[in-house]
Amino acid sequence: MIGYRVKTLREEKKMSISELSTKSGVAKSYISSLERNLQTNPTILVLEKIASILCISVDALLYEQVDHSMDDEWKEIMKDIMGSGISKEEMREFIDVSIKRST
């Protein structure tokens, strides 16, 4: 069940429903309904937004392939970011702005 996986991953990241809603642009009430399995057919757009914030692929949400490890390309990107001197806060702000622009 997608809702259960969303809730589990959100809680693992110590994120509230409100925080996930704000960061993803998905209504808090919708996320709550999804997590309680009242909403069982989310659109791919909703899944993409939630998966992005939870740092997981849509496939992992759909097929329970919860793999928290990064592939080699992501590891290289992260090394480059860390080596550039960008702070975590600056990176989070960049991600938040990028997500808002894409919605």
Side-chain angles (χ1 to χ4, degrees):
M1 296 179 153
I2 295 168
Y4 175 77
R5 289 190 293 281
V6 169
K7 182 176 182 177
T8 300
L9 291 164
R10 177 182 60 76
E11 289 176 343
E12 283 178 8
K13 296 197 175 290
K14 299 184 182 353
M15 190 180 295
S16 68
I17 290 176
S18 295
E19 187 176 1
L20 178 57
S21 172
T22 300
K23 289 183 175 186
S24 68
V26 177
K28 183 168 54 172
S29 59
Y30 189 91
I31 294 171
S32 176
S33 293
L34 184 65
E35 288 186 358
R36 292 180 291 138
N37 293 308
L38 300 175
Q39 175 55 257
T40 58
N41 193 22
T43 65
I44 192 68
L45 180 60
V46 166
L47 293 175
E48 287 173 344
K49 289 178 177 183
I50 290 172
S52 172
I53 300 306
L54 295 176
C55 302
I56 192 167
S57 70
V58 172
D59 283 348
L61 281 177
L62 293 173
Y63 304 111
E64 299 186 56
Q65 301 168 352
V66 180
D67 180 6
H68 297 288
S69 63
M70 286 190 278
D71 65 31
D72 290 338
E73 186 176 9
W74 275 112
K75 288 178 184 176
E76 282 301 313
I77 291 168
M78 292 308 296
K79 284 181 188 175
D80 291 344
I81 291 169
M82 291 166 59
S84 73
I86 296 173
S87 71
K88 289 178 189 176
E89 292 78 22
E90 290 170 325
M91 191 63 207
R92 282 189 177 97
E93 183 177 324
F94 172 78
I95 292 168
D96 288 343
V97 168
S98 297
I99 290 169
K100 287 178 184 172
R101 284 185 185 163
S102 69
T103 56

